Structures are given as C-alpha cells and as structure tokens.
Amino acid sequence: MLALRLTRGARPAVQLRRLLVAAASAGTGFLLLSTLGHALSHPDPSASVLRLAWCAVPAAATVHFAVAVARTDPGTRPRPGLSAIGLGPVRLMAVSAATTALSCLLGSALALLVFLHLRGDLTGTPFVGAATDFLAVGRPLPLPAALTLLSLVPLSASAAAAVALRPREPAAGADRTGRAYRRFGAYRRTAARESFGAYGRFGKQLGAAARGRRTAEAAPEPEPDGAADGRDSPADGPGSSAGTPADARPAVPLTPPSGLPWGVTVLAVGLAAEAFASRTGGGGAPGDRPSALLGLVLTAVGLALAGPGLAHLCGRLLQTARPGALRLLAGRVLMTEATRIGRPLGVVCAVLSAAYVMASLHDREDAFDGPLAVLGVLLVAGCTTATLLTAAVEAKQARAETTAALRRLGAATGTLRRAAVLRAGALLALFGPLTLVVAELSAWPLAR
C-alpha cells in the first residue's frame, strides 16, 4: 500500500520514467511469449531454445533500465525524519523494489493481453498475416508456462533494484588500515588497530567520547555563507578563496576505475573470437557460428567494462595544457561521475556496434528476420539510451549541492551550461570514433 501511495504521488517526470519501464517490460514479455508460441508451433526444441537465448539481451536491458529508474526515484530516497515513522533505509529499499515490481508487472500484464488479442483468445478473430507462427493460433496456450515467463522480468528487476539500493555503512573519511568490531556482524574501520577485547574494556568508549567532545569544541565555527560546509565544487582548485578546509572538500578520483584494463582485455578477446569465426566458417549468420556470437558478446562486455575508465580519461584530457576555469570544472566533474556515466555510455556504444554488425549482414538469411527482430532491436536500443539519460539525471541530482555552492560563490548559469556541453562533447569525441572502429572490426570478419 505504501508503494502504491508513493507511486501515485510522484512527479510527472518520475511517472514518465515508470511508464517507460512498463513499456520496456511489455516488449520483453511479448518476446518471451512469442518464444513460447514458436515452441508450441514447431516441434524442434533447438530453434526455440535459441530464440529464448536471444530474449536474454532485451531482458537484461530492461532490468538495467528499471534499476536506473529506481536509483533516481526521489520518493524512496532516505531523508531526515523518516526513520522515526518506521521508514528506514531497509524499508525504503523494500518500497523501491516493490515499486519496480509493480511497473514491470503492469508491462507484463499488457504484453499478455496483446498476445491473447492477436491469438484471437479475447475477440475470437485471430490476427492473420506473414510470419505469425509465433502466435500458435489454434493451439491451447499453457497458462503456467506463460505466467512463468512473464514473471522473469518483474522478479529480476525487483531483486536487482534491492541489491543496488541496499543500505551500506558510510565509508567517507574511513581508513582501510584496520577494523574495530562493534555489534555482531558489523564493523567500522579505524586508523589504529586495537587488541582483542579492547572495545569492551572499562572506560574505553568513555574516553573516546570525551576526546570527541573536546575535538568538536575546539573546531572552528563554520562561515555564515555556507562556503565552508564541504559542498563547494572540486573545481575551485588549490588556490580557491572559498575558505574550505582541504579535508572537507569532496575528493576527486585521480586514478581511473579498475575496469579499464579488464575491458580492453575482454574487448580484444572478443575481436579475436570473431576473427577465429571468420576463418572456421560454418554459416552466414552469427547465430550459426557460436564463436562469432561469443565474440559479439565479449565485445559488448568489454565496451561496458571500459566505459568508466574512458570517461575518466576524457576528464583527464580536458584538464591538460593549462586549463581554464571552464575546462577545469568540466574535467573534474567528469572524473567524479566517470563510473556513473561511463558504464551506461559503454553499453550504448556496445549496442550501436552490434546493431551496425547486424545491419551489415541484412542481406543474409537469418531465422530472426521479421517484426520480432525489429522489436528486439528497438527495445534494446531504447532501453540503453533511456538508461544513459536516466544516469545523467542521477548525476545531476548527485551534484546538486555542488552546483548550489558554485552559484553561491558567484558562478553564472551560462558557465555551468557550457561546462555540461563541454563534457558531452568530450565524451562524444572519444566514444563516437571508438564505436565506429569496434563496429568495423566486428563486421569485417563476419562479412567474409
């Protein structure tokens, strides 16, 4: 009931994102039901299993999009005072998972209604046209199997949202040199190691509390304009006059994310697998050559893993060669948001390169040509693009305090907009040619 109230009272932009999740779930559910109908019409199980395996890509794109929407939902975000009425982090996580499941269930129900309507089970007049064997007209539809297939996306999306939004202990300012165990199953990291039983020693925590009070009393008073509250932009630089202590500024990650070497390695292995598939032959379509299909999957995974590191590299390049305030601001913000923006951007590049490969093989006979293939391609491309836009919205929400601090310091709105355009241009300048190169390298072996 609480999830329904939060869903009904959300803003129009949030409702639009939830409707897009429902539409993506409906498309994926229709593809799963068409796989069931094809299995009922054709006794050969290998073709049906292959179709079901192809449906894993739209299902994964839908779940990824649903998790991105759940992360940007302001109604399930922890706020002060909610724990007093029983809405702690765990309860909000459950509400977010339930809201995601409701959106996906709405789409699955819509897919079932459309599928039954096309079969003629609701109106009595089935749809007759080319390539409609996936409807299995005239054959009884097993309802338990259909409901099992339709429950895959809601269950997966809600579980993924719960894992992504699970409450974590704050790690800001914590040192990783030691652990001091508190209650059973939880711990905090401290700079100095303690001996066994030191925590429960008489007077140990009383002395720590007294030292904490003396430190708080000796701390300087914050400035009235709020510039020293630790929310200023990382672009202020070492010579900023904001008056913020060095330890209160948000840390900018100077090292690239750890997934860049792994992404490059997996990408190289995928291209090598596609080249091996071109030498062994065995069919024109990628589905007829398992090594070619494996190469496409590895190439996509490599781009997704390398995305955060490449976005971090874009931020580094923006700050080279004596940068000004605009390039310094854009580069540091891009380095901070590399993980949040880079991974969806890498997935979009992977989808575009795979679509280019499939388009280059359009003249070959493929078992997946037809309206279902078009629906699957549109569904994957739409979900990945919407996930990237949602990640951009999440990044904007994450740096809201930094943007407010910059405006208090006198930064013009046009400067912030130019910095955003500069970040987008830098990402496009790096990821655009990379996508074209990977697409050409992937299509060239398969076209032989």
Side-chain angles (χ1 to χ4, degrees):
M1 186 61 67
L2 180 60
L4 289 175
R5 291 181 178 179
L6 291 176
T7 302
R8 185 181 58 184
R11 295 179 298 178
V14 179
Q15 298 287 9
L16 178 61
R17 291 196 290 265
R18 290 171 179 170
L19 288 179
L20 290 178
V21 171
S25 178
T28 306
F30 188 83
L31 289 178
L32 292 173
L33 290 178
S34 66
T35 303
L36 178 60
H38 183 272
L40 294 176
S41 302
H42 298 79
D44 186 14
S46 59
S48 301
V49 170
L50 187 58
R51 284 176 174 265
L52 186 61
W54 276 102
C55 291
V57 179
T62 303
V63 171
H64 191 205
F65 178 45
V67 172
V69 171
R71 291 173 63 93
T72 57
D73 192 351
T76 57
R77 188 174 303 165
R79 292 184 297 273
L82 291 182
S83 299
I85 59 175
L87 292 179
V90 178
R91 183 74 180 275
L92 289 177
M93 177 200 67
V95 170
S96 180
T99 304
T100 304
L102 287 176
S103 301
C104 295
L105 283 175
L106 177 62
S108 299
L110 180 61
L112 181 60
L113 291 178
V114 172
F115 189 78
L116 293 178
H117 175 72
L118 294 179
R119 278 173 47 90
D121 295 339
L122 299 180
T123 59
T125 54
F127 176 76
V128 179
T132 57
D133 55 345
F134 62 89
L135 296 176
V137 178
R139 297 177 179 270
L141 183 67
L143 190 59
L147 294 180
T148 301
L149 290 176
L150 290 177
S151 63
L152 292 178
V153 174
L155 291 178
S156 302
S158 60
V163 171
L165 300 177
R166 67 186 185 277
R168 302 179 179 88
E169 291 189 1
D175 194 1
R176 298 179 178 271
T177 57
R179 295 180 179 179
Y181 289 88
R182 298 178 294 179
R183 61 186 182 276
F184 180 78
Y187 60 87
R188 58 179 173 88
R189 301 180 183 271
T190 58
R193 294 182 179 273
E194 294 182 353
S195 59
F196 178 77
Y199 182 85
R201 193 173 299 141
F202 180 76
K204 175 71 176 179
Q205 304 306 317
L206 296 178
R211 287 193 299 270
R213 286 194 300 269
R214 288 195 299 268
T215 303
E217 293 174 357
E221 294 293 333
E223 297 184 2
D225 57 353
D229 56 357
R231 297 178 295 177
D232 56 328
S233 172
D236 294 337
S240 174
S241 60
T244 305
D247 56 350
R249 295 174 183 172
V252 178
L254 299 179
T255 58
S258 59
L260 182 59
W262 290 102
V264 174
T265 303
V266 174
L267 178 62
V269 171
L271 294 176
E274 294 175 6
F276 175 77
S278 66
R279 297 177 62 89
T280 56
D288 299 330
R289 289 182 280 182
S291 57
L293 186 59
L294 178 62
L296 286 176
V297 173
L298 290 178
T299 301
V301 172
L303 284 175
L305 290 177
L310 294 176
H312 192 276
L313 179 62
C314 285
R316 268 296 181 88
L317 293 178
L318 281 177
Q319 302 176 73
T320 57
R322 301 181 64 181
L326 185 62
R327 283 199 294 144
L328 190 63
L329 175 62
R332 291 202 173 187
V333 171
L334 194 55
M335 290 171 63
T336 305
E337 300 173 352
T339 303
R340 184 179 288 111
I341 297 294
R343 187 154 297 160
L345 188 57
V347 173
V348 170
C349 293
V351 170
L352 291 178
S353 62
Y356 180 84
V357 172
M358 295 301 177
S360 63
L361 303 175
H362 70 280
D363 54 339
R364 303 174 183 265
E365 293 185 0
D366 192 358
F368 300 97
D369 287 338
L372 294 180
V374 175
L375 176 61
V377 170
L378 292 178
L379 186 62
V380 173
C383 286
T384 52
T385 305
T387 302
L388 178 60
L389 297 178
T390 307
V393 173
E394 181 185 4
K396 184 179 179 181
Q397 294 176 354
R399 65 173 183 271
E401 295 184 358
T402 302
T403 304
L406 285 174
R407 289 177 177 174
R408 287 196 303 268
L409 292 174
T413 306
T415 303
L416 300 179
R417 292 177 180 175
R418 287 194 296 270
V421 173
L422 186 59
R423 293 196 302 270
L427 292 175
L428 183 61
L430 179 61
F431 281 89
L434 177 64
T435 304
L436 293 178
V437 169
V438 173
E440 287 290 344
L441 292 177
S442 300
W444 176 70
L446 297 179
R448 297 177 58 184

